[in-house]
Amino acid sequence: MGIEIRDHITEDREAVVALSLRAWEPVHASIARVLGPKIYARVVGDWSRAQSRDVRAALDSEEMRTRVAVTDRIAGFSTVRLDRKEGIGVLHMLAVDPEWQGRGVGRELVAEAERFMREEDMKVALIETGGDPGHAPARAVYEGAGYTGMPVVHYYKALRAGRGHEEGRSPR
């Protein structure tokens, strides 16, 4: 089955949000395993609510270009932001429906984002992703597309529950 990459339209909105939740659920499970439940609750909280909010904000942003990959339905999406001053194109979000992962959808979305960045005279393309096991498929796509990883490490340590928050409960 072919993959069509096109601009998102208003009618795609809820399908894109739902897809993002399916795609990032295993990633958040991985992050929770790495951080442990106490720190995960404090740092991430209700990930699905935050994810829905962030995806909707990206879809609504005039600074972002959102594209969807369509097969028999929306199989993935990407958002790109251009930093014209620095000449850097940022692939801000990329998600592929779990049923379509490993079938070239992510690769096509990355290639399309790069074409757009070149057309806009960007010097460099930037993608950020996690180093946990849940992000391994994303890292494989980016490395396969010729990106060079620059490791960054975030260290977390639980100190105490914040004011008004019970131990182990999300501050969000």
Side-chain angles (χ1 to χ4, degrees), residues 2-124:
I3 301 168
E4 173 196 2
I5 308 290
R6 63 165 171 77
D7 288 327
H8 91 284
I9 57 175
T10 303
E11 291 79 15
D12 297 334
R13 184 181 177 88
E14 293 312 309
V16 168
V17 171
L19 176 153
S20 78
L21 295 177
R22 290 190 302 276
W24 284 315
E25 183 175 15
V27 171
H28 277 277
S30 172
I31 295 169
R33 284 190 299 277
V34 170
L35 293 178
K38 183 186 291 187
I39 293 175
Y40 182 82
R42 293 176 185 183
V43 173
V44 178
D46 181 352
W47 78 268
S48 61
R49 186 178 75 208
Q51 187 69 49
S52 297
R53 178 198 64 225
D54 293 348
V55 170
R56 285 184 176 98
L59 294 174
D60 294 342
S61 173
E62 292 185 19
E63 295 179 10
M64 298 279 185
R65 178 179 191 238
T66 303
R67 304 282 280 170
V68 293
V70 182
T71 55
D72 59 335
R73 59 189 161 88
I74 295 176
F77 80 99
S78 65
T79 62
V80 173
R81 180 179 47 81
L82 304 178
D83 181 339
R84 294 190 187 280
K85 181 179 177 186
E86 298 297 325
I88 298 174
V90 179
L91 184 50
H92 179 254
M93 287 186 178
L94 176 80
V96 176
D97 192 296
E99 291 183 26
W100 282 94
Q101 291 175 4
R103 296 165 70 180
V105 174
R107 184 175 57 246
E108 289 295 321
L109 285 165
V110 169
E112 193 284 327
E114 290 173 358
R115 279 190 294 276
F116 171 64
M117 291 176 202
R118 280 188 196 94
E119 289 170 4
E120 296 296 320
D121 292 324
M122 297 295 105
K123 298 180 294 188
V124 175

